[in-house]
Amino acid sequence: MKRAVVMGGSYAGLFAARVLSDHAEDVVVVEPDVPGPDGLGRHTPQRHQLHALLSMGHIQLERWFPGITDDLVEGGALLGEGDDVRFYLDGRLKAPVAGARMLGATRPFLENHLRRRVEGLANVRFHRARATDLVLRDGRAAGVATATPDDGPGEVLDADFVVDAMGRNSPLEDWLVRHGWDGAPVDRMRIDLGYATALFRRGDELGSTVVAHSSPGPTSGYLPTVTEPGALVAVEGDRWSVVLAGYADHRPGPDPDEFLRRMRRCVAPLRTVADASPMIGDVRTYRFVESRRRVHTRLDRFPGGLAVVGDALAAVNPVYGQGLTLAALAANALGAHLRSTPSPRGPARGYFRLVEAVVEAAWRLSTAADLAQPHVTGPYPRGHRAQKWVADRLTEASVLDSVVNTRYMGVVNMELPPKALTDVRLLARAARVLISG
């Protein structure tokens, strides 16, 4: 194809641009937001929050940007392996996972490295503008209308293929409806989550620890009975990035004293940082009201030459860390679709079938966990009670047994599909672990 246009230049858009660079003579990334020296921009307020890169996301990062892990580590990121990565459940350290490996870096740092890689591609260019509409012609997306970042007159970019990477508040559906197309059906689950991130000066208080993640066990109302949910990651600049989360009335606020009090109710690594490390800057909060996914395969008709990636496609509860990995896997699905040599002018049904299978796995995991919260009222899938009972037993066994936890974390890290937890041999092993307990 001659030209592809990506609407949005954050993480999902950068991945999409990299994939499209293998298939288009000219790739234009339309992005109004220019990140400042701190890597933050005006239009992505969640960028300053702690973002986890699951192991499958790390695999895809290296696949599409070979050698980037070494570049990140050289720039100050940390690579945690083995005992450097610790997961806790209800205050208890979970059994070790064979081959555990996680990258410690802030999202702005990671995204800036991706942007530099994409900017270095000969057939990719960035256009500082705001996408304002699709140009639709003969049943397909034929271009993108733009305005300047301050809403001045822009131009129309002709395109053979268009990708929406404008995030969960993307106006694409409104544009399509205005042009006489149906909007994609939306699945929703209201969760009323709040989370907050703060940075701390990092010394040797935790030795070689790179990641420590704390999940609560059974809850009473909205309050954890044993420990607060939260996580810390060693990041560039000799800092700790610490995030705390809570639902409904237990959402964390911006008060630093409250933040420290909650850290001291968490697991040992977070308590240690609260006591030994000075906080840097402010506590930054963010509210996530609902998980949402658009299901394009339910549509009878959809414009040709158009795909949707990232949060514009699906945004699930961020406490499970799936967002960056979903963005990478969507780009991977886009690459697979384009390698199958479809006509770029036809509907990208092959892409949506591939990517929605990935989204379905993430959706099942996150919503099943969210339904355990007393304020989340559904919708409940068929067999939810039985599935929850089994999932709770597997979770308990994963604290005690490395084999169970390795499979369990393989699913959490999106390396394995959820059905991997239904294997009869795994369930039998979990039962033996709990009985011998």
Side-chain angles (χ1 to χ4, degrees), residues 274-298:
D275 291 336
S277 305
M279 185 182 292
I280 305 168
D282 299 327
V283 176
R284 309 291 292 272
T285 62
Y286 189 76
R287 187 176 181 186
F288 186 92
V289 176
E290 67 174 12
S291 295
R292 181 192 310 162
R293 63 171 175 176
R294 293 183 172 92
V295 189
H296 296 80
T297 53
R298 295 179 192 165

PDB file of all heavy atoms in Angstrom, residues 274-298:
ATOM      1  N   ALA A 274       8.320   3.027  52.484  1.00  0.00           N
ATOM      2  CA  ALA A 274       7.610   4.117  53.177  1.00  0.00           C
ATOM      3  C   ALA A 274       8.436   4.658  54.339  1.00  0.00           C
ATOM      4  O   ALA A 274       8.435   5.869  54.609  1.00  0.00           O
ATOM      5  CB  ALA A 274       6.255   3.628  53.670  1.00  0.00           C
ATOM      6  N   ASP A 275       9.165   3.776  55.030  1.00  0.00           N
ATOM      7  CA  ASP A 275       9.921   4.186  56.205  1.00  0.00           C
ATOM      8  C   ASP A 275      11.317   4.711  55.871  1.00  0.00           C
ATOM      9  O   ASP A 275      11.850   5.567  56.592  1.00  0.00           O
ATOM     10  CB  ASP A 275      10.064   3.005  57.174  1.00  0.00           C
ATOM     11  CG  ASP A 275       8.744   2.603  57.816  1.00  0.00           C
ATOM     12  OD1 ASP A 275       7.841   3.467  57.883  1.00  0.00           O
ATOM     13  OD2 ASP A 275       8.621   1.444  58.245  1.00  0.00           O
ATOM     14  N   ALA A 276      11.919   4.200  54.777  1.00  0.00           N
ATOM     15  CA  ALA A 276      13.336   4.479  54.536  1.00  0.00           C
ATOM     16  C   ALA A 276      13.614   5.427  53.387  1.00  0.00           C
ATOM     17  O   ALA A 276      14.726   5.965  53.295  1.00  0.00           O
ATOM     18  CB  ALA A 276      14.070   3.148  54.278  1.00  0.00           C
ATOM     19  N   SER A 277      12.637   5.664  52.497  1.00  0.00           N
ATOM     20  CA  SER A 277      12.915   6.413  51.275  1.00  0.00           C
ATOM     21  C   SER A 277      12.083   7.688  51.219  1.00  0.00           C
ATOM     22  O   SER A 277      10.872   7.653  51.455  1.00  0.00           O
ATOM     23  CB  SER A 277      12.595   5.546  50.043  1.00  0.00           C
ATOM     24  OG  SER A 277      13.296   4.319  50.102  1.00  0.00           O
ATOM     25  N   PRO A 278      12.699   8.817  50.879  1.00  0.00           N
ATOM     26  CA  PRO A 278      11.926  10.058  50.763  1.00  0.00           C
ATOM     27  C   PRO A 278      11.062  10.073  49.510  1.00  0.00           C
ATOM     28  O   PRO A 278      11.476   9.614  48.447  1.00  0.00           O
ATOM     29  CB  PRO A 278      13.011  11.143  50.693  1.00  0.00           C
ATOM     30  CG  PRO A 278      14.231  10.442  50.189  1.00  0.00           C
ATOM     31  CD  PRO A 278      14.151   9.032  50.699  1.00  0.00           C
ATOM     32  N   MET A 279       9.849  10.618  49.646  1.00  0.00           N
ATOM     33  CA  MET A 279       8.962  10.750  48.500  1.00  0.00           C
ATOM     34  C   MET A 279       9.445  11.898  47.618  1.00  0.00           C
ATOM     35  O   MET A 279       9.905  12.923  48.110  1.00  0.00           O
ATOM     36  CB  MET A 279       7.525  11.001  48.962  1.00  0.00           C
ATOM     37  CG  MET A 279       6.494  11.032  47.844  1.00  0.00           C
ATOM     38  SD  MET A 279       4.790  11.403  48.429  1.00  0.00           S
ATOM     39  CE  MET A 279       4.412   9.927  49.383  1.00  0.00           C
ATOM     40  N   ILE A 280       9.308  11.710  46.298  1.00  0.00           N
ATOM     41  CA  ILE A 280       9.706  12.728  45.326  1.00  0.00           C
ATOM     42  C   ILE A 280       8.449  13.273  44.664  1.00  0.00           C
ATOM     43  O   ILE A 280       7.720  12.545  43.994  1.00  0.00           O
ATOM     44  CB  ILE A 280      10.634  12.132  44.247  1.00  0.00           C
ATOM     45  CG1 ILE A 280      11.843  11.443  44.875  1.00  0.00           C
ATOM     46  CG2 ILE A 280      11.088  13.202  43.268  1.00  0.00           C
ATOM     47  CD1 ILE A 280      12.631  10.591  43.888  1.00  0.00           C
ATOM     48  N   GLY A 281       8.178  14.549  44.826  1.00  0.00           N
ATOM     49  CA  GLY A 281       7.038  15.146  44.137  1.00  0.00           C
ATOM     50  C   GLY A 281       5.713  14.771  44.765  1.00  0.00           C
ATOM     51  O   GLY A 281       5.616  14.352  45.924  1.00  0.00           O
ATOM     52  N   ASP A 282       4.659  14.901  43.968  1.00  0.00           N
ATOM     53  CA  ASP A 282       3.289  14.727  44.439  1.00  0.00           C
ATOM     54  C   ASP A 282       2.795  13.304  44.233  1.00  0.00           C
ATOM     55  O   ASP A 282       3.339  12.532  43.439  1.00  0.00           O
ATOM     56  CB  ASP A 282       2.345  15.682  43.692  1.00  0.00           C
ATOM     57  CG  ASP A 282       2.696  17.142  43.918  1.00  0.00           C
ATOM     58  OD1 ASP A 282       3.166  17.471  45.024  1.00  0.00           O
ATOM     59  OD2 ASP A 282       2.501  17.941  42.978  1.00  0.00           O
ATOM     60  N   VAL A 283       1.719  12.982  44.957  1.00  0.00           N
ATOM     61  CA  VAL A 283       0.954  11.760  44.694  1.00  0.00           C
ATOM     62  C   VAL A 283      -0.016  12.070  43.557  1.00  0.00           C
ATOM     63  O   VAL A 283      -0.795  13.021  43.643  1.00  0.00           O
ATOM     64  CB  VAL A 283       0.197  11.298  45.944  1.00  0.00           C
ATOM     65  CG1 VAL A 283      -0.665  10.080  45.631  1.00  0.00           C
ATOM     66  CG2 VAL A 283       1.164  11.003  47.081  1.00  0.00           C
ATOM     67  N   ARG A 284       0.012  11.270  42.503  1.00  0.00           N
ATOM     68  CA  ARG A 284      -0.846  11.513  41.339  1.00  0.00           C
ATOM     69  C   ARG A 284      -1.944  10.459  41.303  1.00  0.00           C
ATOM     70  O   ARG A 284      -1.670   9.250  41.364  1.00  0.00           O
ATOM     71  CB  ARG A 284      -0.015  11.441  40.047  1.00  0.00           C
ATOM     72  CG  ARG A 284       1.247  12.304  40.067  1.00  0.00           C
ATOM     73  CD  ARG A 284       0.936  13.784  40.049  1.00  0.00           C
ATOM     74  NE  ARG A 284       0.363  14.182  38.783  1.00  0.00           N
ATOM     75  CZ  ARG A 284       1.083  14.552  37.719  1.00  0.00           C
ATOM     76  NH1 ARG A 284       2.409  14.559  37.770  1.00  0.00           N
ATOM     77  NH2 ARG A 284       0.486  14.921  36.611  1.00  0.00           N
ATOM     78  N   THR A 285      -3.188  10.894  41.209  1.00  0.00           N
ATOM     79  CA  THR A 285      -4.333   9.973  41.257  1.00  0.00           C
ATOM     80  C   THR A 285      -4.981   9.851  39.885  1.00  0.00           C
ATOM     81  O   THR A 285      -4.851  10.724  39.023  1.00  0.00           O
ATOM     82  CB  THR A 285      -5.383  10.450  42.275  1.00  0.00           C
ATOM     83  OG1 THR A 285      -5.887  11.731  41.859  1.00  0.00           O
ATOM     84  CG2 THR A 285      -4.782  10.557  43.665  1.00  0.00           C
ATOM     85  N   TYR A 286      -5.708   8.750  39.725  1.00  0.00           N
ATOM     86  CA  TYR A 286      -6.446   8.526  38.482  1.00  0.00           C
ATOM     87  C   TYR A 286      -7.644   7.645  38.802  1.00  0.00           C
ATOM     88  O   TYR A 286      -7.545   6.721  39.627  1.00  0.00           O
ATOM     89  CB  TYR A 286      -5.553   7.845  37.439  1.00  0.00           C
ATOM     90  CG  TYR A 286      -6.174   7.770  36.064  1.00  0.00           C
ATOM     91  CD1 TYR A 286      -6.226   8.896  35.250  1.00  0.00           C
ATOM     92  CD2 TYR A 286      -6.715   6.584  35.581  1.00  0.00           C
ATOM     93  CE1 TYR A 286      -6.792   8.844  33.984  1.00  0.00           C
ATOM     94  CE2 TYR A 286      -7.285   6.523  34.320  1.00  0.00           C
ATOM     95  CZ  TYR A 286      -7.318   7.655  33.526  1.00  0.00           C
ATOM     96  OH  TYR A 286      -7.884   7.600  32.277  1.00  0.00           O
ATOM     97  N   ARG A 287      -8.764   7.935  38.154  1.00  0.00           N
ATOM     98  CA  ARG A 287      -9.981   7.150  38.386  1.00  0.00           C
ATOM     99  C   ARG A 287     -10.354   6.415  37.106  1.00  0.00           C
ATOM    100  O   ARG A 287     -10.347   6.988  36.022  1.00  0.00           O
ATOM    101  CB  ARG A 287     -11.133   8.052  38.822  1.00  0.00           C
ATOM    102  CG  ARG A 287     -12.378   7.268  39.237  1.00  0.00           C
ATOM    103  CD  ARG A 287     -13.463   8.182  39.745  1.00  0.00           C
ATOM    104  NE  ARG A 287     -14.644   7.423  40.173  1.00  0.00           N
ATOM    105  CZ  ARG A 287     -15.777   7.978  40.551  1.00  0.00           C
ATOM    106  NH1 ARG A 287     -15.890   9.306  40.600  1.00  0.00           N
ATOM    107  NH2 ARG A 287     -16.804   7.219  40.915  1.00  0.00           N
ATOM    108  N   PHE A 288     -10.687   5.149  37.260  1.00  0.00           N
ATOM    109  CA  PHE A 288     -11.079   4.291  36.144  1.00  0.00           C
ATOM    110  C   PHE A 288     -12.460   3.750  36.476  1.00  0.00           C
ATOM    111  O   PHE A 288     -12.616   2.903  37.356  1.00  0.00           O
ATOM    112  CB  PHE A 288     -10.048   3.167  35.987  1.00  0.00           C
ATOM    113  CG  PHE A 288     -10.252   2.290  34.784  1.00  0.00           C
ATOM    114  CD1 PHE A 288      -9.625   2.565  33.586  1.00  0.00           C
ATOM    115  CD2 PHE A 288     -11.064   1.159  34.862  1.00  0.00           C
ATOM    116  CE1 PHE A 288      -9.791   1.738  32.478  1.00  0.00           C
ATOM    117  CE2 PHE A 288     -11.248   0.336  33.769  1.00  0.00           C
ATOM    118  CZ  PHE A 288     -10.601   0.626  32.577  1.00  0.00           C
ATOM    119  N   VAL A 289     -13.467   4.253  35.785  1.00  0.00           N
ATOM    120  CA  VAL A 289     -14.847   3.965  36.172  1.00  0.00           C
ATOM    121  C   VAL A 289     -15.304   2.602  35.682  1.00  0.00           C
ATOM    122  O   VAL A 289     -15.943   1.849  36.424  1.00  0.00           O
ATOM    123  CB  VAL A 289     -15.785   5.069  35.648  1.00  0.00           C
ATOM    124  CG1 VAL A 289     -17.247   4.728  35.960  1.00  0.00           C
ATOM    125  CG2 VAL A 289     -15.418   6.412  36.267  1.00  0.00           C
ATOM    126  N   GLU A 290     -14.985   2.263  34.440  1.00  0.00           N
ATOM    127  CA  GLU A 290     -15.523   1.015  33.892  1.00  0.00           C
ATOM    128  C   GLU A 290     -14.553   0.378  32.903  1.00  0.00           C
ATOM    129  O   GLU A 290     -13.810   1.065  32.203  1.00  0.00           O
ATOM    130  CB  GLU A 290     -16.864   1.256  33.197  1.00  0.00           C
ATOM    131  CG  GLU A 290     -16.778   2.106  31.947  1.00  0.00           C
ATOM    132  CD  GLU A 290     -18.100   2.212  31.203  1.00  0.00           C
ATOM    133  OE1 GLU A 290     -19.138   1.819  31.763  1.00  0.00           O
ATOM    134  OE2 GLU A 290     -18.092   2.691  30.051  1.00  0.00           O
ATOM    135  N   SER A 291     -14.567  -0.949  32.881  1.00  0.00           N
ATOM    136  CA  SER A 291     -13.913  -1.694  31.811  1.00  0.00           C
ATOM    137  C   SER A 291     -14.848  -1.685  30.603  1.00  0.00           C
ATOM    138  O   SER A 291     -16.069  -1.730  30.748  1.00  0.00           O
ATOM    139  CB  SER A 291     -13.627  -3.134  32.242  1.00  0.00           C
ATOM    140  OG  SER A 291     -12.690  -3.166  33.297  1.00  0.00           O
ATOM    141  N   ARG A 292     -14.224  -1.647  29.417  1.00  0.00           N
ATOM    142  CA  ARG A 292     -15.047  -1.492  28.214  1.00  0.00           C
ATOM    143  C   ARG A 292     -14.322  -2.131  27.032  1.00  0.00           C
ATOM    144  O   ARG A 292     -13.104  -2.022  26.898  1.00  0.00           O
ATOM    145  CB  ARG A 292     -15.247  -0.003  27.943  1.00  0.00           C
ATOM    146  CG  ARG A 292     -16.099   0.358  26.755  1.00  0.00           C
ATOM    147  CD  ARG A 292     -15.967   1.844  26.438  1.00  0.00           C
ATOM    148  NE  ARG A 292     -16.159   2.697  27.610  1.00  0.00           N
ATOM    149  CZ  ARG A 292     -15.772   3.960  27.662  1.00  0.00           C
ATOM    150  NH1 ARG A 292     -15.164   4.523  26.636  1.00  0.00           N
ATOM    151  NH2 ARG A 292     -15.987   4.671  28.749  1.00  0.00           N
ATOM    152  N   ARG A 293     -15.083  -2.829  26.188  1.00  0.00           N
ATOM    153  CA  ARG A 293     -14.502  -3.347  24.945  1.00  0.00           C
ATOM    154  C   ARG A 293     -15.518  -3.203  23.815  1.00  0.00           C
ATOM    155  O   ARG A 293     -16.714  -3.384  24.016  1.00  0.00           O
ATOM    156  CB  ARG A 293     -14.079  -4.807  25.084  1.00  0.00           C
ATOM    157  CG  ARG A 293     -15.215  -5.777  25.377  1.00  0.00           C
ATOM    158  CD  ARG A 293     -14.757  -7.214  25.291  1.00  0.00           C
ATOM    159  NE  ARG A 293     -15.808  -8.147  25.691  1.00  0.00           N
ATOM    160  CZ  ARG A 293     -15.690  -9.465  25.634  1.00  0.00           C
ATOM    161  NH1 ARG A 293     -14.576 -10.015  25.198  1.00  0.00           N
ATOM    162  NH2 ARG A 293     -16.687 -10.248  26.017  1.00  0.00           N
ATOM    163  N   ARG A 294     -15.024  -2.891  22.642  1.00  0.00           N
ATOM    164  CA  ARG A 294     -15.851  -2.809  21.444  1.00  0.00           C
ATOM    165  C   ARG A 294     -15.628  -4.077  20.629  1.00  0.00           C
ATOM    166  O   ARG A 294     -14.489  -4.483  20.399  1.00  0.00           O
ATOM    167  CB  ARG A 294     -15.491  -1.571  20.633  1.00  0.00           C
ATOM    168  CG  ARG A 294     -15.844  -0.272  21.344  1.00  0.00           C
ATOM    169  CD  ARG A 294     -15.548   0.936  20.478  1.00  0.00           C
ATOM    170  NE  ARG A 294     -16.076   2.156  21.100  1.00  0.00           N
ATOM    171  CZ  ARG A 294     -15.387   2.939  21.920  1.00  0.00           C
ATOM    172  NH1 ARG A 294     -14.124   2.619  22.205  1.00  0.00           N
ATOM    173  NH2 ARG A 294     -15.925   4.022  22.441  1.00  0.00           N
ATOM    174  N   VAL A 295     -16.722  -4.695  20.197  1.00  0.00           N
ATOM    175  CA  VAL A 295     -16.642  -5.992  19.526  1.00  0.00           C
ATOM    176  C   VAL A 295     -17.076  -5.819  18.076  1.00  0.00           C
ATOM    177  O   VAL A 295     -18.266  -5.888  17.739  1.00  0.00           O
ATOM    178  CB  VAL A 295     -17.510  -7.046  20.253  1.00  0.00           C
ATOM    179  CG1 VAL A 295     -17.243  -8.429  19.667  1.00  0.00           C
ATOM    180  CG2 VAL A 295     -17.215  -7.039  21.750  1.00  0.00           C
ATOM    181  N   HIS A 296     -16.114  -5.623  17.209  1.00  0.00           N
ATOM    182  CA  HIS A 296     -16.408  -5.308  15.801  1.00  0.00           C
ATOM    183  C   HIS A 296     -16.885  -6.517  15.011  1.00  0.00           C
ATOM    184  O   HIS A 296     -17.543  -6.360  13.978  1.00  0.00           O
ATOM    185  CB  HIS A 296     -15.166  -4.695  15.148  1.00  0.00           C
ATOM    186  CG  HIS A 296     -14.773  -3.375  15.744  1.00  0.00           C
ATOM    187  ND1 HIS A 296     -14.058  -3.277  16.929  1.00  0.00           N
ATOM    188  CD2 HIS A 296     -15.015  -2.096  15.340  1.00  0.00           C
ATOM    189  CE1 HIS A 296     -13.866  -1.997  17.216  1.00  0.00           C
ATOM    190  NE2 HIS A 296     -14.425  -1.266  16.279  1.00  0.00           N
ATOM    191  N   THR A 297     -16.568  -7.719  15.484  1.00  0.00           N
ATOM    192  CA  THR A 297     -17.016  -8.901  14.751  1.00  0.00           C
ATOM    193  C   THR A 297     -18.530  -9.093  14.847  1.00  0.00           C
ATOM    194  O   THR A 297     -19.084  -9.920  14.125  1.00  0.00           O
ATOM    195  CB  THR A 297     -16.309 -10.166  15.264  1.00  0.00           C
ATOM    196  OG1 THR A 297     -16.475 -10.263  16.687  1.00  0.00           O
ATOM    197  CG2 THR A 297     -14.819 -10.124  14.930  1.00  0.00           C
ATOM    198  N   ARG A 298     -19.206  -8.357  15.720  1.00  0.00           N
ATOM    199  CA  ARG A 298     -20.668  -8.440  15.794  1.00  0.00           C
ATOM    200  C   ARG A 298     -21.343  -7.542  14.756  1.00  0.00           C
ATOM    201  O   ARG A 298     -22.563  -7.562  14.635  1.00  0.00           O
ATOM    202  CB  ARG A 298     -21.138  -8.042  17.197  1.00  0.00           C
ATOM    203  CG  ARG A 298     -20.683  -8.974  18.307  1.00  0.00           C
ATOM    204  CD  ARG A 298     -21.174  -8.478  19.660  1.00  0.00           C
ATOM    205  NE  ARG A 298     -20.532  -9.176  20.763  1.00  0.00           N
ATOM    206  CZ  ARG A 298     -20.555  -8.750  22.018  1.00  0.00           C
ATOM    207  NH1 ARG A 298     -21.199  -7.629  22.320  1.00  0.00           N
ATOM    208  NH2 ARG A 298     -19.933  -9.419  22.970  1.00  0.00           N
TER     209      ARG A 298
END
